Amino acid sequence: MGFNKIVGHDKIIDHLKNAISQRKLSHGYIFQGQGGIGKFTLALEFIKAINCREKVEDSCDKCPSCVKINNHNYPDLFIIEADGKSVKNKQIEDLQREILLRPYEGEYKAFIIRDADLITERAQNRILKVLEEP
């Protein structure tokens, strides 16, 4: 797909491309907004772009990394979704353990927490610790 196929979000895409080309990536990014505006898609494209083996500022959708990310079976991509009605403390605890390990295949690991507004209070405190201590 690549950034060029995403409608809207031009300012954000320019910022992400600039960070990639200058190799000045932050340790964490928050994609926030109303439901259905493409946050998850944009996050996946960003993850593909930083792990793509062919292109510099975007994804090629052809290399093994891009194909695996598209199919949600990339070993360095972790998607955390609500377990029942909330994202549980155990899920964030597992994230904390996994985040300490080096990437298996790509240059970067990526963690996406879908519906982060459903994180329990205890798990929120854990995730804050992760974000504050890169």
Side-chain angles (χ1 to χ4, degrees):
M1 179 183 214
F3 286 130
N4 59 343
K5 302 278 191 213
I6 295 178
V7 178
H9 307 295
D10 297 332
K11 219 178 205 183
I12 297 166
I13 291 170
D14 288 343
H15 175 77
L16 295 174
K17 282 183 169 183
N18 190 37
I20 295 167
S21 67
Q22 293 182 11
R23 312 236 348 122
K24 291 187 178 184
L25 298 173
S26 295
H27 74 282
Y29 289 87
I30 296 175
F31 294 81
Q32 156 286 261
Q34 296 174 337
I37 62 169
K39 300 178 301 281
F40 183 71
T41 302
L42 182 58
L44 281 180
E45 288 306 317
F46 178 58
I47 293 163
K48 283 192 328 190
I50 63 175
N51 284 297
C52 184
R53 297 179 186 174
E54 301 295 323
K55 292 192 173 183
V56 177
E57 291 179 0
D58 206 346
S59 60
C60 69
D61 274 335
K62 296 175 187 168
C63 73
S65 296
C66 289
V67 171
K68 288 178 183 179
I69 291 169
N70 281 338
N71 294 320
H72 300 275
N73 64 356
Y74 188 63
D76 296 320
L77 172 62
F78 300 86
I79 300 172
I80 300 164
E81 299 187 80
D83 181 14
K85 294 182 179 180
S86 63
V87 176
K88 308 286 194 265
N89 188 52
K90 172 79 169 96
Q91 292 173 281
I92 303 302
E93 190 177 308
D94 292 343
L95 178 149
Q96 283 180 308
R97 257 193 309 276
E98 187 63 43
I99 210 165
L100 296 173
L101 302 174
R102 303 190 119 238
Y104 177 73
E105 185 175 314
E107 190 171 344
Y108 300 98
K109 275 189 170 187
F111 298 85
I112 297 176
I113 302 174
R114 298 197 75 171
D115 300 316
D117 57 321
L118 301 177
I119 299 175
T120 63
E121 187 175 335
R122 194 165 172 206
Q124 286 175 17
N125 290 329
R126 282 189 176 278
I127 201 73
L128 281 174
K129 193 170 189 173
V130 170
L131 291 173
E132 291 171 351
E133 300 173 10

